[in-house]
Amino acid sequence: MTNVRSAGSSLKKLESSEARHEATPQTPATSARSSAAPKSGRLAPAAPRPTMIGAPLWTRRMDATTPFLVLLLLLLPTNQASSIRSGRCSDSLQRILKLTRLTQKESTELIQTYKASQGDMSDVFCRASLHDVPEPAISGLKVSERLESVLDRLCAFLPHLRRVYDQQADLQAPDSPVMVQLGHVGERSRSLGSLVRALYRDAFPNLQEPAGGAAVPEPPAQNVFGQKVYGCVLLKTYKAFLSNAAREFRSLKGKMCRDSRIVESS
Protein backbone atom coordinates (compact mmCIF):
# COMPACT_ATOMS: atom_id res chain seq x y z
CA MET A 1 0.00 0.00 0.00
CA THR A 2 2.88 2.30 0.81
CA ASN A 3 4.56 1.45 -2.53
CA VAL A 4 1.40 2.30 -4.50
CA ARG A 5 1.20 5.74 -2.82
CA SER A 6 4.87 6.46 -3.54
CA ALA A 7 4.51 5.52 -7.21
CA GLY A 8 1.47 7.78 -7.55
CA SER A 9 3.29 10.76 -6.03
CA SER A 10 6.27 10.33 -8.39
CA LEU A 11 3.97 10.18 -11.41
CA LYS A 12 2.31 13.46 -10.40
CA LYS A 13 5.71 15.20 -10.04
CA LEU A 14 6.79 14.00 -13.51
CA GLU A 15 3.60 15.26 -15.14
CA SER A 16 3.93 18.63 -13.37
CA SER A 17 7.56 19.01 -14.60
CA GLU A 18 6.60 18.19 -18.22
CA ALA A 19 3.75 20.70 -18.06
CA ARG A 20 6.14 23.51 -16.89
CA HIS A 21 8.60 22.64 -19.71
CA GLU A 22 5.92 22.84 -22.39
CA ALA A 23 4.66 26.15 -20.97
CA THR A 24 8.17 27.84 -21.26
CA PRO A 25 8.29 29.77 -24.68
CA GLN A 26 11.38 29.51 -26.90
CA THR A 27 12.69 32.59 -28.76
CA PRO A 28 13.46 32.30 -32.47
CA ALA A 29 17.14 32.90 -31.80
CA THR A 30 17.19 30.14 -29.18
CA SER A 31 15.37 27.81 -31.51
CA ALA A 32 17.69 28.64 -34.40
CA ARG A 33 20.77 28.07 -32.28
CA SER A 34 19.34 24.83 -31.01
CA SER A 35 18.54 23.57 -34.49
CA ALA A 36 21.84 24.79 -35.99
CA ALA A 37 24.05 23.39 -33.26
CA PRO A 38 25.72 20.18 -34.37
CA LYS A 39 25.07 17.07 -32.41
CA SER A 40 28.81 16.60 -31.90
CA GLY A 41 29.13 19.86 -29.86
CA ARG A 42 31.77 21.50 -32.22
CA LEU A 43 31.38 25.02 -33.67
CA ALA A 44 30.72 25.24 -37.39
CA PRO A 45 33.42 27.10 -39.42
CA ALA A 46 32.61 30.73 -40.37
CA ALA A 47 31.55 31.41 -43.95
CA PRO A 48 34.40 32.93 -46.08
CA ARG A 49 34.17 36.68 -46.88
CA PRO A 50 33.73 37.62 -50.55
CA THR A 51 37.03 38.71 -52.09
CA MET A 52 37.44 41.74 -54.43
CA ILE A 53 38.91 41.21 -57.86
CA GLY A 54 41.72 43.69 -58.42
CA ALA A 55 42.48 46.87 -56.43
CA PRO A 56 39.75 48.87 -54.68
CA LEU A 57 37.89 51.36 -56.81
CA TRP A 58 39.29 54.42 -55.03
CA THR A 59 42.83 53.08 -55.54
CA ARG A 60 42.23 52.60 -59.25
CA ARG A 61 40.92 56.18 -59.52
CA MET A 62 43.99 57.47 -57.71
CA ASP A 63 46.27 55.52 -60.07
CA ALA A 64 44.51 57.02 -63.09
CA THR A 65 44.88 60.62 -61.90
CA THR A 66 48.34 60.36 -60.36
CA PRO A 67 50.29 61.23 -63.58
CA PHE A 68 48.13 64.31 -64.11
CA LEU A 69 48.59 65.45 -60.50
CA VAL A 70 52.36 64.96 -60.69
CA LEU A 71 52.54 66.95 -63.95
CA LEU A 72 50.43 69.72 -62.43
CA LEU A 73 52.68 69.95 -59.39
CA LEU A 74 55.74 70.14 -61.61
CA LEU A 75 54.26 72.88 -63.78
CA LEU A 76 53.02 75.10 -60.95
CA PRO A 77 56.49 76.40 -59.91
CA THR A 78 57.46 76.91 -63.55
CA ASN A 79 54.31 78.85 -64.37
CA GLN A 80 54.68 80.92 -61.23
CA ALA A 81 58.31 81.72 -62.02
CA SER A 82 57.37 82.57 -65.62
CA SER A 83 54.63 84.88 -64.39
CA ILE A 84 56.98 86.62 -61.96
CA ARG A 85 59.68 86.93 -64.58
CA SER A 86 57.24 88.27 -67.16
CA GLY A 87 55.97 90.86 -64.68
CA ARG A 88 59.50 91.96 -63.80
CA CYS A 89 60.38 92.22 -67.50
CA SER A 90 57.32 94.36 -68.21
CA ASP A 91 58.07 96.68 -65.28
CA SER A 92 61.72 97.10 -66.33
CA LEU A 93 60.87 97.92 -69.93
CA GLN A 94 58.15 100.32 -68.81
CA ARG A 95 60.65 102.27 -66.69
CA ILE A 96 63.16 102.25 -69.56
CA LEU A 97 60.55 103.45 -72.04
CA LYS A 98 59.39 106.21 -69.70
CA LEU A 99 62.95 107.43 -69.13
CA THR A 100 63.71 107.27 -72.87
CA ARG A 101 60.70 109.45 -73.69
CA LEU A 102 61.65 111.92 -70.97
CA THR A 103 65.23 112.14 -72.26
CA GLN A 104 63.95 112.56 -75.81
CA LYS A 105 61.69 115.42 -74.71
CA GLU A 106 64.54 117.12 -72.86
CA SER A 107 66.89 116.68 -75.82
CA THR A 108 64.35 118.41 -78.07
CA GLU A 109 64.25 121.35 -75.69
CA LEU A 110 68.04 121.26 -75.41
CA ILE A 111 68.49 121.64 -79.16
CA GLN A 112 66.34 124.79 -79.15
CA THR A 113 68.24 126.21 -76.19
CA TYR A 114 71.57 125.28 -77.81
CA LYS A 115 70.69 127.10 -81.04
CA ALA A 116 69.60 130.16 -79.15
CA SER A 117 72.88 130.24 -77.21
CA GLN A 118 75.15 129.96 -80.27
CA GLY A 119 74.30 133.25 -81.88
CA ASP A 120 73.72 133.91 -85.55
CA MET A 121 73.79 131.23 -88.25
CA SER A 122 72.89 128.50 -85.79
CA ASP A 123 70.36 127.03 -88.22
CA VAL A 124 73.02 126.85 -90.90
CA PHE A 125 75.71 124.92 -89.05
CA CYS A 126 73.12 122.63 -87.41
CA ARG A 127 72.33 121.28 -90.91
CA ALA A 128 75.91 120.14 -91.43
CA SER A 129 76.92 116.47 -91.41
CA LEU A 130 79.83 114.89 -89.55
CA HIS A 131 81.33 111.42 -89.76
CA ASP A 132 82.77 111.17 -86.26
CA VAL A 133 79.45 110.92 -84.41
CA PRO A 134 77.67 107.60 -83.68
CA GLU A 135 74.93 106.32 -85.95
CA PRO A 136 71.36 106.62 -84.66
CA ALA A 137 70.13 103.42 -86.35
CA ILE A 138 69.55 100.18 -84.41
CA SER A 139 70.57 96.88 -86.02
CA GLY A 140 70.16 93.18 -85.35
CA LEU A 141 67.77 90.34 -86.18
CA LYS A 142 67.23 88.61 -82.83
CA VAL A 143 65.80 90.27 -79.75
CA SER A 144 69.11 89.96 -77.93
CA GLU A 145 70.99 91.51 -80.86
CA ARG A 146 68.69 94.51 -81.09
CA LEU A 147 68.83 95.17 -77.36
CA GLU A 148 72.61 94.89 -77.51
CA SER A 149 72.65 97.36 -80.40
CA VAL A 150 70.63 99.87 -78.33
CA LEU A 151 73.07 99.51 -75.47
CA ASP A 152 76.12 99.86 -77.75
CA ARG A 153 74.76 103.02 -79.38
CA LEU A 154 73.86 104.52 -76.04
CA CYS A 155 77.32 103.83 -74.61
CA ALA A 156 78.86 105.35 -77.74
CA PHE A 157 76.91 108.60 -77.33
CA LEU A 158 77.80 109.18 -73.68
CA PRO A 159 81.42 110.34 -74.16
CA HIS A 160 80.33 112.61 -77.01
CA LEU A 161 77.74 114.23 -74.78
CA ARG A 162 80.43 114.75 -72.18
CA ARG A 163 82.70 116.37 -74.74
CA VAL A 164 79.98 118.81 -75.82
CA TYR A 165 79.42 119.69 -72.17
CA ASP A 166 83.12 120.39 -71.65
CA GLN A 167 83.33 122.49 -74.81
CA GLN A 168 80.32 124.60 -73.89
CA ALA A 169 81.69 125.04 -70.38
CA ASP A 170 84.42 127.18 -71.95
CA LEU A 171 81.84 129.30 -73.79
CA GLN A 172 78.86 129.50 -71.42
CA ALA A 173 78.29 130.40 -67.80
CA PRO A 174 77.92 127.37 -65.46
CA ASP A 175 74.34 128.32 -64.55
CA SER A 176 73.25 129.13 -68.10
CA PRO A 177 70.19 127.27 -69.45
CA VAL A 178 72.22 125.34 -72.02
CA MET A 179 74.69 124.06 -69.39
CA VAL A 180 71.88 123.07 -67.02
CA GLN A 181 70.03 121.21 -69.76
CA LEU A 182 73.21 119.54 -71.01
CA GLY A 183 73.80 118.29 -67.48
CA HIS A 184 70.26 116.94 -67.20
CA VAL A 185 70.41 115.10 -70.54
CA GLY A 186 73.79 113.59 -69.67
CA GLU A 187 72.52 112.40 -66.29
CA ARG A 188 69.36 110.90 -67.82
CA SER A 189 71.42 109.15 -70.46
CA ARG A 190 73.72 107.52 -67.90
CA SER A 191 70.72 106.31 -65.90
CA LEU A 192 69.15 104.96 -69.08
CA GLY A 193 72.33 103.05 -69.87
CA SER A 194 72.33 101.45 -66.42
CA LEU A 195 68.70 100.33 -66.77
CA VAL A 196 69.23 98.87 -70.24
CA ARG A 197 72.34 97.01 -69.09
CA ALA A 198 70.48 95.56 -66.10
CA LEU A 199 67.64 94.43 -68.39
CA TYR A 200 70.08 92.76 -70.77
CA ARG A 201 71.84 91.00 -67.90
CA ASP A 202 68.55 89.72 -66.48
CA ALA A 203 66.99 88.70 -69.80
CA PHE A 204 70.07 87.01 -71.29
CA PRO A 205 72.14 85.61 -68.41
CA ASN A 206 73.89 83.12 -70.69
CA LEU A 207 75.12 85.73 -73.17
CA GLN A 208 78.19 87.85 -72.80
CA GLU A 209 77.38 91.30 -71.55
CA PRO A 210 78.16 94.08 -74.07
CA ALA A 211 81.19 96.21 -73.41
CA GLY A 212 80.86 99.66 -71.96
CA GLY A 213 81.55 101.38 -75.27
CA ALA A 214 84.71 102.02 -77.20
CA ALA A 215 86.95 104.91 -76.27
CA VAL A 216 86.23 107.99 -78.34
CA PRO A 217 89.37 109.38 -79.98
CA GLU A 218 90.04 113.04 -79.56
CA PRO A 219 88.87 114.97 -82.62
CA PRO A 220 91.18 117.36 -84.43
CA ALA A 221 91.58 120.76 -82.89
CA GLN A 222 88.39 122.70 -83.41
CA ASN A 223 87.85 126.41 -83.37
CA VAL A 224 84.76 127.89 -81.77
CA PHE A 225 82.75 127.58 -84.98
CA GLY A 226 83.73 123.90 -85.30
CA GLN A 227 82.70 123.22 -81.70
CA LYS A 228 79.31 124.81 -82.31
CA VAL A 229 78.77 122.67 -85.41
CA TYR A 230 79.90 119.52 -83.64
CA GLY A 231 77.63 120.11 -80.66
CA CYS A 232 74.52 120.84 -82.67
CA VAL A 233 74.99 117.88 -85.05
CA LEU A 234 75.62 115.53 -82.15
CA LEU A 235 72.51 116.64 -80.26
CA LYS A 236 70.33 116.24 -83.35
CA THR A 237 71.74 112.76 -83.99
CA TYR A 238 71.25 111.77 -80.37
CA LYS A 239 67.64 112.92 -80.50
CA ALA A 240 67.09 110.72 -83.56
CA PHE A 241 68.64 107.77 -81.70
CA LEU A 242 66.33 108.29 -78.72
CA SER A 243 63.33 108.27 -81.06
CA ASN A 244 64.52 104.96 -82.55
CA ALA A 245 65.20 103.56 -79.08
CA ALA A 246 61.71 104.43 -77.81
CA ARG A 247 60.18 102.71 -80.82
CA GLU A 248 62.43 99.69 -80.26
CA PHE A 249 61.54 99.41 -76.56
CA ARG A 250 57.83 99.41 -77.39
CA SER A 251 58.42 96.55 -79.81
CA LEU A 252 60.66 94.63 -77.41
CA LYS A 253 58.03 94.86 -74.66
CA GLY A 254 55.65 92.76 -76.74
CA LYS A 255 58.35 90.25 -77.70
CA MET A 256 60.35 89.84 -74.51
CA CYS A 257 57.64 89.98 -71.85
CA ARG A 258 55.01 87.84 -73.55
CA ASP A 259 56.67 84.55 -72.60
CA SER A 260 59.96 83.84 -70.85
CA ARG A 261 60.68 81.08 -73.40
CA ILE A 262 60.92 83.70 -76.14
CA VAL A 263 63.53 85.56 -74.13
CA GLU A 264 65.55 82.43 -73.51
CA SER A 265 65.46 81.34 -77.14
CA SER A 266 66.24 84.74 -78.65
Side-chain angles (χ1 to χ4, degrees):
M1 189 66 178
T2 303
N3 294 336
V4 173
R5 291 177 180 176
S6 177
S9 177
S10 297
L11 181 59
K12 289 181 180 181
K13 291 181 179 180
L14 179 60
E15 290 175 354
S16 176
S17 176
E18 289 177 354
R20 285 196 304 269
H21 180 72
E22 290 176 357
T24 303
Q26 292 185 353
T27 61
T30 306
S31 176
R33 286 197 298 269
S34 300
S35 61
K39 295 181 180 180
S40 60
R42 296 180 182 179
L43 295 177
R49 294 182 179 180
T51 59
M52 299 182 64
I53 301 177
L57 182 58
W58 67 271
T59 306
R60 281 180 284 173
R61 289 180 179 177
M62 178 66 73
D63 293 340
T65 58
T66 297
F68 174 76
L69 292 176
V70 172
L71 180 61
L72 182 61
L73 291 175
L74 290 176
L75 289 179
L76 280 177
T78 302
N79 293 337
Q80 185 178 7
S82 299
S83 177
I84 294 174
R85 183 172 184 176
S86 178
R88 185 170 66 247
C89 169
S90 179
D91 293 342
S92 298
L93 270 174
Q94 185 64 32
R95 288 196 300 269
I96 291 174
L97 182 57
K98 183 177 180 181
L99 183 57
T100 303
R101 289 171 175 169
L102 178 60
T103 310
Q104 181 184 3
K105 178 178 179 295
E106 291 182 347
S107 65
T108 302
E109 298 173 353
L110 173 59
I111 292 175
Q112 300 301 324
T113 304
Y114 185 90
K115 289 181 178 180
S117 66
Q118 302 306 310
D120 298 335
M121 300 181 61
S122 58
D123 291 334
V124 176
F125 57 68
C126 281
R127 290 196 296 265
S129 60
L130 298 175
H131 300 287
D132 56 348
V133 296
E135 291 291 332
I138 298 170
S139 60
L141 298 177
K142 296 182 178 180
V143 173
S144 58
E145 293 174 350
R146 297 193 69 82
L147 186 60
E148 181 179 359
S149 177
V150 172
L151 185 57
D152 286 340
R153 292 287 188 272
L154 184 57
C155 291
F157 273 106
L158 290 177
H160 286 275
L161 291 173
R162 181 64 188 182
R163 180 180 295 167
V164 172
Y165 182 90
D166 293 339
Q167 290 177 351
Q168 291 300 308
D170 297 333
L171 304 174
Q172 307 290 335
D175 57 348
S176 62
V178 66
M179 294 301 298
V180 173
Q181 293 181 20
L182 276 171
H184 287 168
V185 170
E187 183 179 354
R188 305 280 192 200
S189 301
R190 287 188 294 271
S191 298
L192 182 60
S194 299
L195 290 178
V196 175
R197 186 174 296 277
L199 175 65
Y200 186 92
R201 188 186 302 115
D202 184 58
F204 308 104
N206 298 326
L207 298 181
Q208 183 178 0
E209 187 175 334
V216 179
E218 286 292 333
Q222 297 174 332
N223 54 24
V224 175
F225 181 80
Q227 292 178 1
K228 292 181 178 182
V229 172
Y230 169 73
C232 193
V233 171
L234 176 70
L235 293 178
K236 287 180 59 178
T237 307
Y238 186 58
K239 176 192 170 185
F241 161 74
L242 291 174
S243 178
N244 295 336
R247 190 181 306 110
E248 190 67 27
F249 289 139
R250 284 195 300 269
S251 176
L252 290 178
K253 185 177 180 180
K255 295 177 182 178
M256 294 179 61
C257 303
R258 183 175 51 198
D259 193 335
S260 61
R261 291 174 298 180
I262 298 178
V263 175
E264 294 171 354
S265 61
S266 300

